[in-house]
Structure formats: structure tokens, C-alpha cells
């Protein structure tokens, strides 16, 4: 066949039409792959990894996540390395551990004098995508700015202790569509600053936060009236819902009703909760378990609406969707109220990623760490070469795509007291163990070791029984800390 034959001639024979069709198909595929994928990144606050219906742990109702999981790569051992708000968020945005990104505690007026906030100079994954022509939207909780005086007028900013702050445009790291706040836990009356809102004019809303945010996310995805993003550009949208964070009672009744007539007796199934006992943890669990699970169901419902929109708009195949959380929730396990401890309920988070035709749906026990998310996503999206050298996380993109690749042997655990970067708790989680070592000024060093295989609820500290394991894991921990320039190693044992 002549190479210069006309298209009409080319189509004349049956064989020719097949060739022409497959040629067109491959062109289409090439043009499709030429446009990088969209990203929708959804992360509610304080949703533990156990609170996923399909995992058969908490008796929670999550039909949308169950269905989503069947089409996703589910990382069953994902953790938040520093399981509290701002440190997680900073690791997510910068790909760096807290001692490198300076967010060593929650952002509030007590940590502000120590410069605890996301650094404007850090190059976040969103900065990279911005430079690659993406439209970027951020909806919901941000919590990466230090409050400054005079504090924003709102219920959780008191002269003695302030939490909430506006994020000025120069600190938004490439997000051109903004509808966010620092931290504010009034889920039925949330507040937001839109893209152009001045600091003194936040928007006050009377609607359950996740529902309001899903409404807006749907408009963003549809690009209603062309007002939300550039139509011809890929987009990345973050939806950072506040529930199932406290206060648990701030949840629509329709989600609580789905759990009737069950009581705490049916809903608390973790043996590390003092289910019937007269302790603060037991009381907390009995009082709040139903509302906590109902909140997760509400988040699931709103997430389902977002997924439906992607499908309806024909964007499902071109969009990577991630669902995770900033940390978990003890809710009475080990007599702990919430998070910021090394226990599974606090550290383990959902991590589901869907990319139809590219990432094969399956479960994997990869020991992913929070700073790994940044380089992994950028490489998946085709921007592996744009990952800054300062990023400390590891890309698992090829492992996501092929199931093969280098696997980390452990995950770091961190807690730093405000203003004392060399002190506090450090630890390590492997496929079998969790080690936690606590250094407090003037107190002996404390060692906790849990055998998570033989004791999945971490009821027993076996540090004294297994000194060899403690020694081996401590060496591994020290490797992580040296790599991260963590001054904890230099603190003398009391
Ligand atoms: Ca949080």
C-alpha cells in the first residue's frame, strides 16, 4: 500500500478500514494520554482506617466506599506518621517530615511563636501542578497557618488560645480556587473564606459541612458557567471535610437513624475499649460510638455524590481519585479520647486510590508513609521529573501501577511537644510490631512494644520480654531519624 494514498482510497478495502480505525484509535489514545489526569483528593478529618465497612472492623455503614474499594487499590496498612492535624497536612503538602517542613505541632497560638506553619517557600505538589497548567481547587479544612493578632473573630479564637486563621492568597501554594478555613469545628454552622474573601469577611453557612463542601465540589467538577476552572486544562481538587472530627453529635439525624435500633453494645467491638467499665474511655466510647459511625456514613454519602458527578460528567477514566484521612480516632481505645498516639486506632487511616484502566483494583499491605503521597501522585500523573530534591518521601508509583517495586520495611511514628523539637515520642511500625519510645525531660525513657500479629488490639506491652526486638527496631528507628535530621537522637537519656 502506498504511503501517500488518499484517505478515501485507504478506506476502500476492508483491510484498509481496519487499519484506518486502529490508527484513529491509537491517535485518540495518544491524545488522551497526552492530557495528564485530573486528581480528586478527598480526606475527612479523624476517620480511622478501621471505619470502612468492607474491612469488617467497625460495624459502620459505608456503601459508597465499599463500592469504590472494589474498583481501587486499597492500602490496608496506611498510616499517618504524626497522627494529628497540621503535621499530617504539612507532610502531605510538602512530602517532607515535620523537622524539615517546620510544622512540628498543630498550628495554633501556642505553637505560632515557634514558627509552626506551612512555609511559603516550600514547593508543594500543588505548586508543581500549577506550573504544569493545572486548575487547582481547595475546599474545606486547611489548618496550616499560624493565627496572629488581632485574631480572626470566631468562636474558637480566644485571647488566651486561638486556632483559626485565614490563608492569604500568597500562601495557597497554587490553589486558584479557594473555599477554606483554618480550623473550626462547628459542623452545622461552618465558616469559609472564598478565593477573594478578605480576612475580616468569612462566609458563614448553615448546612452540614461535608454536604456543603460536596455541593461546591460538584459545581467545581461540572465547572458550572465556566466559573470554577479552565475548561481545557486538567484540574486537581482537594476536598478536606471536617467530620468525623469532634463534636460527634453534630451529625444529621438521617445518618444516625441508619444505625437504629442498635446501641453501643452492638457498635463497640474493640476489646481495647472498656465497654461496660466506669472509666473515662469507656464512658466516651458508649456516649459517642453511634454518632461517630453515623458521621462516617455521612462522609461516605457525600463522597458518593462526588463520585457520581465524576461519572456523569464522563470524567471517571481521566481522574485519579484518592480517599484517605489525616489520622484516626481512638474513641476510648486504650483509654485515649482521640489521636496523637502510636496505637492502631490513631495511626491507621483509609487509603484508597482509583484510576480506571491504570491501577488494578486490589488490596496491598504496603507500608506507605504520609510524605510518600506527594511523589507517588506526581509520578503517577507524569511529573516524576518535577519532584523537588527536598522531598523526603518515596514514590510508589510503579508499585501502584504494576504491583512490583521496592517496599519499605517500616513507618515512622512522631510526636513532638510544642517548642521542644528534640523531645517527645518517636516510634516505628513494621508488618509485625509497633515500637514507641518516649523521652520526657526529667523522666526515665519509656519503651512500649506491641506484637500486632499476636496481639492486634495492642493490649500488652512486650518491650521487657523482647529486648532483642526492641534493640533491632531501635536501630531501624535511628536510621529514619538520622535521615530526617531529628534532634531527638541527641537528647540525653534521663
Ligand atoms: Ca485532624
Amino acid at each position: 500500500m502506498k504511503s501517500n494514498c488518499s484517505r478515501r482510497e485507504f478506506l476502500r478495502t476492508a483491510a484498509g478500514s481496519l487499519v484506518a480505525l486502529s490508527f484513529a484509535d491509537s491517535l485518540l489514545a495518544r491524545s488522551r494520554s497526552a492530557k495528564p489526569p485530573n486528581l480528586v483528593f478527598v480526606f475527612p478529618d479523624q476517620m480511622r482506617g478501621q471505619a470502612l465497612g468492607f474491612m469488617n472492623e467497625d460495624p459502620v455503614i459505608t456503601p459508597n466506599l465499599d463500592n469504590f474499594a472494589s474498583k481501587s487499590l486499597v492500602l490496608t496498612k496506611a498510616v499517618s506518621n504524626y497522627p494529628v492535624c497540621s503535621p499530617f497536612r504539612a507532610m502531605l503538602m510538602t512530602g517532607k517530615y515535620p523537622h524539615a517542613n517546620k510544622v512540628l505541632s498543630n498550628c495554633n497560638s501556642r505553637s505560632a511563636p515557634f514558627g509552626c506553619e506551612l512555609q511559603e517557600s516550600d514547593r508543594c505538589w500543588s505548586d508543581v501542578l500549577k506550573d504544569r497548567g493545572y486548575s487547582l481547587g481547595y475546599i474545606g479544612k486547611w489548618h496550616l497557618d499560624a493565627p496572629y493578632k488581632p485574631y480572626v473573630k470566631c468562636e474558637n479564637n480566644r485571647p488566651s488560645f486561638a486556632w483559626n486563621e485565614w490563608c492569604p492568597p500568597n500562601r495557597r501554594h497554587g490553589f486558584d480556587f479557594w473555599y477554606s478555613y483554618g480550623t473550626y469545628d462547628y459542623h452545622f454552622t461552618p465558616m469559609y473564606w472564598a478565593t477573594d474573601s478578605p480576612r475580616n469577611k468569612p462566609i458563614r453557612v448553615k448546612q452540614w459541612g461535608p454536604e456543603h463542601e460536596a455541593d461546591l465540589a460538584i459545581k467545581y467538577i461540572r465547572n458550572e458557567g465556566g466559573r470554577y476552572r479552565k475548561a481545557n486544562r486538567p484540574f486537581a481538587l482537594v476536598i478536606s471535610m471536617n467530620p468525623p472530627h469532634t463534636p460527634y453529635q453534630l451529625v444529621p439525624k438521617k445518618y444516625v437513624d441508619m444505625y437504629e435500633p442498635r446501641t453501643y453494645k452492638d457498635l463497640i467491638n474493640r476489646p481495647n475499649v472498656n465497654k461496660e467499665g466506669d472509666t473515662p474511655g469507656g464512658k466516651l466510647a458508649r456516649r459517642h460510638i453511634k454518632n461517630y459511625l453515623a458521621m462516617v456514613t455521612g462522609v461516605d454519602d457525600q463522597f458518593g455524590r462526588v463520585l457520581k458527578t465524576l461519572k456523569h460528567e464522563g470524567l471517571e477514566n481521566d481522574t485519579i481519585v484518592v480517599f484517605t484521612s489525616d489520622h484516626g480516632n481512638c474513641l476510648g481505645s486504650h483509654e485515649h479520647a482521640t489521636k496523637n498516639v502510636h496505637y492502631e486506632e490513631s495511626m491507621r487511616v483509609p487509603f484508597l486510590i482509583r484510576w480506571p484502566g491504570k491501577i488494578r483494583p486490589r488490596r496491598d499491605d504496603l507500608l506507605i508513609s504520609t510524605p510518600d503521597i506527594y511523589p507517588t501522585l506526581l509520578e503517577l500523573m507524569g511529573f516524576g521529573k518535577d519532584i523537588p530534591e527536598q522531598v523526603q518521601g518515596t514514590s510508589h508509583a510503579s508499585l501502584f501501577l504494576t504491583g512490583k517495586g521496592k517496599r519499605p520495611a517500616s513507618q515512622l511514628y512522631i510526636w513532638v511537644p510544642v517548642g521542644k523539637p528534640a523531645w517527645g515520642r518517636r516510634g516505628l511500625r513494621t508488618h509485625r510490631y509497633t515500637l514507641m519510645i518516649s523521652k520526657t525531660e526529667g523522666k526515665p525513657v519509656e519503651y512500649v512494644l506491641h506484637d500486632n500479629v499476636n496481639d492486634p488490639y495492642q493490649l500488652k506491652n512486650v518491650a521487657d520480654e523482647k529486648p532483642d526486638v526492641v534493640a533491632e527496631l531501635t536501630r531501624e528507628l535511628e536510621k529514619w531519624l538520622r535521615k530526617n535530621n531529628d534532634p531527638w537522637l541527641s537528647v540525653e537519656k534521663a
Side-chain angles (χ1 to χ4, degrees), residues 270-467:
R270 305 191 74 74
N272 53 24
V273 176
N274 190 4
K275 191 169 169 177
E276 302 292 350
D278 187 23
T279 57
K283 285 181 195 166
L284 180 100
R286 294 196 287 277
R287 187 162 168 220
H288 295 301
I289 184 72
K290 191 187 284 190
N291 285 338
Y292 178 69
L293 298 182
M295 270 197 173
V296 172
T297 300
V299 164
D300 175 89
D301 195 30
Q302 300 308 325
F303 178 55
R305 294 178 59 218
V306 172
L307 293 177
K308 208 169 154 187
T309 305
L310 284 172
K311 188 170 187 179
H312 192 258
E313 296 297 309
L315 293 167
E316 203 173 63
N317 290 336
D318 305 325
T319 305
I320 296 175
V321 180
V322 178
F323 185 96
T324 185
S325 182
D326 60 345
H327 50 79
N329 191 13
C330 285
L331 201 69
S333 286
H334 311 281
E335 286 297 312
H336 275 281
T338 52
K339 62 253 180 178
N340 223 346
V341 285
H342 66 275
Y343 294 116
E344 286 291 280
E345 293 83 358
S346 160
M347 280 190 84
R348 211 153 63 69
V349 289
F351 193 100
L352 299 87
I353 180 166
R354 185 188 76 182
W355 192 10
K358 296 279 176 37
I359 296 179
R360 187 172 54 80
R362 63 194 192 273
R363 289 189 193 184
D364 192 297
D365 63 358
L366 177 74
L367 295 179
I368 193 171
S369 285
T370 310
D372 301 344
I373 297 172
Y374 172 156
T376 301
L377 286 178
L378 279 194
E379 197 182 344
L380 280 176
M381 295 165 87
F383 309 119
K385 291 199 173 105
D386 294 346
I387 299 165
E389 234 172 72
Q390 293 81 2
V391 164
Q392 294 173 318
T394 303
S395 170
H396 302 296
S398 64
L399 197 142
F400 279 26
L401 292 168
T402 67
K404 289 177 196 135
K406 209 175 162 218
R407 289 170 177 269
S410 58
Q411 297 155 312
L412 197 55
Y413 162 72
I414 309 160
W415 174 74
V416 180
V418 175
K420 294 180 177 179
W423 292 92
R425 302 187 288 265
R426 305 292 187 274
L428 199 71
R429 185 171 173 279
T430 67
H431 279 295
R432 173 140 186 208
Y433 294 105
T434 299
L435 171 74
M436 190 283 288
I437 308 176
S438 177
K439 288 183 184 176
T440 311
E441 276 178 285
K443 285 189 182 172
V445 179
E446 183 195 352
Y447 290 84
V448 174
L449 180 72
H450 293 298
D451 181 339
N452 298 331
V453 171
N454 293 316
D455 176 25
Y457 295 98
Q458 303 175 310
L459 296 166
K460 209 175 159 201
N461 177 8
V462 293
D464 289 343
E465 290 168 34
K466 300 192 177 213

Side-chain angles (χ1 to χ4, degrees), residues 34-242:
K35 192 183 173 189
N38 307 310
L39 171 69
V40 172
F41 193 96
V42 183
F43 72 121
D45 192 310
Q46 204 156 310
M47 180 166 159
R48 63 188 183 191
Q50 294 82 4
L52 293 162
F54 66 90
M55 292 291 283
N56 293 317
E57 292 197 66
D58 284 325
V60 66
I61 301 166
T62 55
N64 294 291
L65 282 160
D66 298 349
N67 182 41
F68 181 70
S70 70
K71 297 167 183 165
S72 300
L73 165 61
V74 180
L75 300 184
T76 54
K77 302 281 183 189
V79 295
S80 174
N81 301 85
Y82 188 153
V84 76
C85 241
S86 308
F88 172 90
R89 289 159 195 271
M91 287 188 282
L92 172 69
M93 293 310 300
T94 65
K96 302 199 281 193
Y97 285 89
H99 286 85
N101 67 35
K102 299 191 189 323
V103 181
L104 285 158
S105 341
N106 259 339
C107 297
N108 56 43
S109 59
R110 287 178 192 167
S111 64
F114 303 99
C116 179
E117 63 177 358
L118 181 62
Q119 302 300 295
E120 200 180 327
S121 57
D122 257 323
R123 187 159 167 81
C124 299
W125 56 265
S126 48
D127 292 308
V128 172
L129 293 184
K130 185 70 191 170
D131 289 348
R132 284 289 182 173
Y134 272 64
S135 289
L136 286 135
Y138 197 102
I139 299 174
K141 183 172 181 172
W142 174 249
H143 202 182
L144 285 169
D145 294 290
Y148 59 92
K149 287 178 183 168
Y151 297 133
V152 167
K153 278 186 186 155
C154 61
E155 291 81 345
N156 61 340
N157 279 352
R158 298 187 304 275
S160 58
F161 200 5
W163 284 86
N164 200 7
E165 187 51 84
W166 170 70
C167 180
N170 56 301
R171 291 183 44 79
R172 291 177 191 167
H173 290 276
F175 289 100
D176 53 87
F177 178 85
W178 192 258
Y179 195 82
S180 179
Y181 58 96
T183 178
Y184 188 75
D185 297 332
Y186 298 77
H187 307 319
F188 279 127
T189 50
M191 62 182 279
Y192 304 89
W193 283 275
T195 309
D196 298 320
S197 300
R199 185 176 186 247
N200 62 353
K201 289 202 174 138
I203 299 161
R204 299 279 186 160
V205 171
K206 285 185 180 166
Q207 189 182 7
W208 196 52
E211 185 186 81
H212 184 66
E213 289 154 21
D215 283 354
L216 191 61
I218 288 165
K219 287 179 189 164
Y220 185 93
I221 291 165
R222 286 185 185 148
N223 198 17
E224 282 186 7
R227 283 183 288 123
Y228 292 85
R229 55 185 175 84
K230 289 179 189 153
N232 55 345
R233 293 290 190 177
F235 68 87
L237 174 65
V238 178
I239 311 168
S240 171
M241 302 172 182
N242 199 340

